[in-house]
């Protein structure tokens, strides 16, 4: 039995109990500990988590501020020991032209990662820049091949998908879970301001779920991002999309709660009166 098979059995049991499967991004060890203590089913390490918890926007993970795959490897020793028994998933830039992807995936296994996700992903890029990436050998197909290689190594595979076609590609490549990505998460002090409506997210998630399950009826489908930033918004989508069984959060489960808690606590301290 592969590691992925064991984890999938655990996740299916969660869904069978009527509970949503929750994946939580962790950019620092404390976030992993809190996510584990709070009952997260999976913890995901994105290079953007390092930027996010440094007060920068998540999309910094898409720009040339650091080597995304090296950052995720470097974060392993900080985060994996704090996750307890919760499986930790590595965000892998599958289009990285300076990596032997099979060798890098084996390194991730040696570091203690138990699965992968495609991040940063060109799926979030559109327009002429996306076209140029595809035409110059840095397209989404490489992310599909990374997922295929990871599945062959027995890693849990949980790729982001943005369209029905991408969902079909990823499931055909062996994805265990597909995560329907609705765009950069809104809200908070450094979140995006532009997003689709929740009803638009419901419609898109439904199309992606149907496409994924047309290839493999047993694949698990989760949602992420855009207007789905709070538990009640996740509930809104999950209760309206058949076969959607959970939510991946990054800003939603790490940055936004941290911003609120620390700001509110500072206000409490600043309201301490001095008495003479």
């Amino acid at each position: 039995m592969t590691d992925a098979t064991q984890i999938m059995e655990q996740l299916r049991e969660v869904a069978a109990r009527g509970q949503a499967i929750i994946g939580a991004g962790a950019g620092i060890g404390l976030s992993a500990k809190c996510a584990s203590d709070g009952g997260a089913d999976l913890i995901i390490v994105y290079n953007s988590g390092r930027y996010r918890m440094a007060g920068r926007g998540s999309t910094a993970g898409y720009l040339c501020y650091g080597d995304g795959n090296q950052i995720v490897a470097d974060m392993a020793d900080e985060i994996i020991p704090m996750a307890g028994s919760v499986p930790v998933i590595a965000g892998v830039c599958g289009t990285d032209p300076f990596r032997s992807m099979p060798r890098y995936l084996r390194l991730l296994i040696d570091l203690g990662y138990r699965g992968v996700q495609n991040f940063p992903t060109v799926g979030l890029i559109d327009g002429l820049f996306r076209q140029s990436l595809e035409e110059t050998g840095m397209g989404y197909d490489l992310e599909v091949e990374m997922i295929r290689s990871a599945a062959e190594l027995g890693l849990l595979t949980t790729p982001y998908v943005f369209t029905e076609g991408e969902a079909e590609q990823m499931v055909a490549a062996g994805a265990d879970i597909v995560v329907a990505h609705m765009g950069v998460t809104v809200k908070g002090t450094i979140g995006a301001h532009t997003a689709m409506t929740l009803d638009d997210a419901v419609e898109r998630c439904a199309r992606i779920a149907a496409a994924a399950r047309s290839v493999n009826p047993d694949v698990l489908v989760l949602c992420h991002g855009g207007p789905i930033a709070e538990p009640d918004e996740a509930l809104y989508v999950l209760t309206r999309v058949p076969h959607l069984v959970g939510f991946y959060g990054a800003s939603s489960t790490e940055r936004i709660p941290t911003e609120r808690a620390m700001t509110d606590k500072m206000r409490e301290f600043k309201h301490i009166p001095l008495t003479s």
Side-chain angles (χ1 to χ4, degrees):
M1 181 181 292
T2 67
D3 210 17
T5 302
Q6 293 176 326
I7 298 170
M8 285 296 288
E9 286 184 357
Q10 296 166 1
L11 296 178
R12 292 189 193 282
E13 289 174 4
V14 171
R17 294 195 299 267
Q19 296 177 329
I21 296 166
I22 303 298
I28 56 175
L30 182 61
S31 297
K33 183 181 188 306
C34 292
S36 177
D37 290 349
D41 299 295
L42 299 168
I43 290 172
I44 310 97
V45 178
Y46 307 95
N47 76 318
S48 61
R50 178 57 55 85
Y51 297 114
R52 185 162 47 241
M53 296 309 288
R56 277 69 177 183
S58 297
T59 48
Y62 276 78
L63 300 175
C64 52
Y65 306 142
D67 179 338
N69 282 331
Q70 188 60 53
I71 288 171
V72 168
D74 291 343
M75 291 167 75
D77 286 342
E78 176 181 351
I79 292 175
I80 293 175
M82 305 306 294
S85 62
V86 180
V88 182
I89 309 304
V92 176
C93 180
T95 59
D96 186 344
F98 296 100
R99 287 286 188 286
S100 163
M101 198 51 60
R103 185 185 309 149
Y104 179 67
L105 293 174
R106 289 191 291 271
L107 170 64
L108 294 178
I109 294 172
D110 291 341
L111 291 171
Y113 286 108
R114 300 178 67 188
V116 297
Q117 186 176 48
N118 55 327
F119 188 90
T121 167
V122 299
L124 198 58
I125 300 171
D126 56 16
L128 288 175
F129 185 44
R130 170 66 179 273
Q131 182 177 341
S132 295
L133 290 171
E134 297 286 351
E135 291 174 351
T136 54
M138 291 173 280
Y140 193 83
D141 284 351
L142 290 179
E143 299 178 26
V144 175
E145 289 310 306
M146 182 274 291
I147 292 296
R148 191 188 312 279
S149 296
E152 291 171 353
L153 289 171
L155 286 158
L156 184 75
T157 50
T158 73
Y160 279 139
V161 302
F162 301 81
T163 67
E164 297 98 307
E166 290 170 358
E168 291 168 354
Q169 283 182 280
M170 284 299 191
V171 177
D176 300 297
I177 298 168
V178 295
V179 184
H181 198 307
M182 299 296 107
V184 178
T185 303
V186 298
K187 298 188 179 180
T189 61
I190 55 173
H193 297 283
T194 303
M196 68 182 72
T197 66
L198 272 175
D199 287 330
D200 287 340
V202 166
E203 181 181 345
R204 181 178 293 184
C205 285
R207 294 199 307 266
I208 287 173
R213 286 172 53 80
S214 72
V215 179
N216 178 7
D218 293 326
V219 71
L220 297 181
V221 185
L222 282 64
C223 59
H224 167 83
I228 316 171
E230 304 284 355
D232 60 342
E233 292 159 349
L235 176 65
Y236 185 92
V237 176
L238 288 169
T239 55
R240 286 165 172 78
V241 180
H243 308 298
L244 197 63
V245 295
F247 171 74
Y248 258 28
S251 291
S252 299
T253 57
E254 183 178 39
R255 172 181 62 81
I256 295 173
T258 301
E259 290 176 1
R260 290 173 179 166
M262 294 183 69
T263 302
D264 290 346
K265 188 57 64 177
M266 181 53 63
R267 287 174 179 147
E268 289 181 33
F269 277 112
K270 285 300 295 178
H271 280 88
I272 297 174
L274 294 179
T275 57
S276 56

